[in-house]
């Protein structure tokens, strides 16, 4: 049975794993803590970048000989295959650890089986410690493996009466500097930032990460179905970050850089969302931050492709103007997409609310 000390060590491993958000794709984020035979923490590590050493390797290097006879706490089942790095199950065995706690089983066919390898070597391997917390921290990668598409976070900023802009179209700034800085943190944790043609046409957004030293710039994606919103010289076409412009197969996009284009099938309105997400998944994108606008957000909701909602709510009222969501295909209260609030945090004068769809609705 796991003890309180075991839970504390795994909680620390989950904290370490979060440090890899935004830099490990298409691989998962993983954290590892090593304790010696007496239970004292002697090694820590996390997966820092795709192709680099895994969390267990970093933690074992940190622990050295003190790992022998100790326990490893890993947020994901140690891998059992040789890719760009060696199998972590073998590394743990060679280090002489006596016990391994892992939170979540590895669902990939090529990497699974590490726990069985450990058990065959006489090492205790136990699954499930703080599994819900570890799953939440690795939601993007796990979603990509299980569903074959990126994990989508829809982010919006609105007044308390749900308006994202005033009646005259002005929207800068609804939320505070603290909230806007937090959005850049979100961008830095995601593989791609995505907006629609309305946002591109109205705001000429840049979409790159600012104020986060060392951040890997996400792929900037503009859904411009008819190739009319992104103009030559648009800020999103600079060299601050890579850019992808998604247009319909029949759109006249001769004025756009051809290397930045992807042509996708049309849907009843706009582009086919599953096709868009499938293309991004094929490019190694495991997490998408959907930033706007209401029509595109509605298309994602209608497609069942929103995994998390983050709303930045400003203590202000407008009384008129566009709302955060439009065209989601919901016509009656019984069809409402019900959410569970997982976090509510004050950011300056604003409130950041995070919610996920109820399991039965996903």
């Amino acid at each position: 049975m796991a003890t309180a000390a075991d839970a504390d060590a795994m909680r620390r491993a989950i904290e370490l794993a979060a440090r890899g958000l935004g830099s490990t794709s298409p691989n998962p984020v993983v954290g590892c803590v090593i304790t010696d035979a007496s239970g004292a923490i002697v090694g820590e590590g996390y997966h820092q970048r795709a192709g680099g050493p895994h969390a267990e390797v970093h933690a074992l290097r940190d622990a050295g000989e003190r790992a022998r006879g100790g326990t490893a706490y890993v947020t994901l089942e140690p891998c059992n295959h040789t890719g760009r790095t060696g199998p972590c199950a073998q590394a743990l065995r060679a280090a002489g650890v006596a016990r391994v706690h892992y939170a979540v089983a590895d669902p990939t066919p090529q990497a699974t089986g590490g726990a069985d390898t450990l058990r065959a070597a006489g090492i205790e391997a136990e699954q499930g410690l703080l599994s819900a917390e570890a799953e939440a921290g690795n939601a993007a990668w796990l979603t990509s493996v299980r569903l074959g598409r990126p994990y989508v976070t829809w982010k919006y900023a609105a007044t308390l009466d749900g308006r994202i802009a005033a009646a005259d179209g002005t929207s800068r700034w609804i939320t505070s500097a603290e909230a806007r800085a937090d959005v850049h943190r979100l961008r830095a944790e995601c593989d791609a930032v995505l907006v629609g043609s309305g946002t591109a046409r109205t705001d000429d957004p840049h979409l790159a990460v600012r104020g986060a030293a060392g951040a890997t710039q996400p792929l900037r994606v503009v859904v411009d179905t008819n190739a009319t919103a992104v103009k030559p010289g648009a800020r999103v076409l600079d060299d601050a970050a890579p850019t992808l412009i998604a247009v319909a197969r029949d759109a006249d996009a001769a004025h756009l850089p051809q290397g930045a284009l992807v042509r996708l099938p049309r849907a009843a309105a706009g582009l086919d969302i599953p096709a868009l997400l499938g293309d991004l998944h094929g490019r190694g994108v495991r997490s998408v931050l959907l930033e706007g606008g209401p029509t595109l957000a509605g298309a994602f909701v209608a497609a069942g492709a929103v995994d998390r909602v983050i709303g930045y709510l400003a203590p202000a009222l407008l009384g008129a103007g566009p709302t955060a969501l439009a065209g989601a295909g919901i016509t009656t209260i019984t069809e409402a997409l019900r959410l569970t609030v997982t976090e509510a945090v004050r950011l300056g004068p604003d409130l950041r609310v995070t919610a996920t769809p109820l399991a039965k609705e996903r």
Side-chain angles (χ1 to χ4, degrees):
M1 295 291 292
T3 66
D6 291 328
D8 288 343
M10 184 63 79
R11 193 167 290 109
R12 175 58 180 166
I14 293 170
E15 292 173 357
L16 290 167
R19 296 182 181 179
L21 287 170
S23 61
T24 65
S25 282
N27 294 343
V29 294
V30 183
C32 179
V33 167
I34 305 289
T35 61
D36 64 16
S38 68
I41 293 178
V42 294
E44 294 185 342
Y46 67 97
H47 186 39
Q48 299 176 12
R49 60 178 180 82
H54 289 185
E56 296 93 324
V57 173
H58 283 296
L60 288 171
R61 287 175 179 170
D62 191 27
E65 283 299 314
R66 295 172 295 176
R68 191 163 301 276
T71 301
Y73 301 85
V74 195
T75 56
L76 185 68
E77 179 183 4
C79 66
N80 199 41
H81 76 300
T82 299
R84 285 184 285 182
T85 60
C88 291
Q90 294 293 346
L92 290 166
R93 175 185 176 183
V97 299
R99 186 173 60 143
V100 174
H101 273 290
Y102 64 99
V104 180
D106 194 318
T108 56
Q110 69 271 27
T112 194
D116 289 337
T117 294
L118 293 169
R119 294 184 187 109
I123 299 170
E124 295 180 34
E126 301 178 24
Q127 176 189 339
L129 181 61
L130 300 189
S131 60
E133 292 91 330
E135 285 238 4
N138 220 2
W141 182 79
L142 290 168
T143 295
S144 73
V145 171
R146 293 166 178 167
L147 300 183
R149 65 160 177 83
Y151 179 87
V152 177
T153 296
W154 171 40
K155 161 263 165 186
Y156 69 93
T159 59
L160 285 183
D161 58 340
R163 307 293 177 172
I164 61 170
D168 65 357
T170 56
S171 62
R172 296 187 179 182
W173 296 100
I174 285 178
T175 53
S176 64
E178 293 90 339
R180 298 195 299 274
D182 196 62
V183 171
H184 284 279
R185 176 192 61 82
L186 280 180
R187 287 181 180 178
E189 292 180 354
C190 290
D191 299 331
V193 179
L194 192 151
V195 299
S197 57
T199 300
R201 187 178 293 109
T202 302
D203 296 340
D204 187 22
H206 193 225
L207 301 182
V209 176
R210 297 189 301 274
T216 300
Q217 290 291 347
L219 175 67
R220 299 177 292 186
V221 183
V222 180
V223 178
D224 188 6
T225 304
N226 297 309
T228 58
V230 180
K231 305 294 185 182
R235 297 172 70 214
V236 78
L237 295 178
D238 68 12
D239 60 1
T243 298
L244 184 70
I245 306 170
V247 302
R249 287 173 176 165
D250 60 349
D252 181 3
H255 60 289
L256 295 173
Q258 299 304 294
L261 285 180
V262 59
R263 294 185 177 273
L264 297 171
R266 291 181 182 267
L271 292 183
D272 183 279
I273 298 302
L276 171 63
L277 291 175
D279 181 87
L280 292 175
H281 186 268
R283 297 172 187 268
V285 171
R286 298 296 179 259
S287 56
V288 170
L289 182 62
L290 173 61
E291 291 204 18
T295 300
L296 187 61
F300 271 76
V301 170
V306 172
D307 301 293
R308 181 175 62 163
V309 179
I310 298 181
Y312 294 87
L313 304 179
L317 302 173
L318 285 171
T323 57
L325 187 65
I330 299 170
T331 59
T332 182
I333 194 67
T334 58
E335 297 173 350
L337 179 62
R338 299 291 180 177
L339 308 171
T340 297
V341 174
T342 59
E343 186 182 52
V345 177
R346 284 284 298 271
L347 294 172
D350 305 321
L351 183 66
R352 184 188 70 206
V353 178
T354 303
T356 56
L358 294 175
K360 66 179 180 181
E361 300 286 351
R362 296 184 71 174

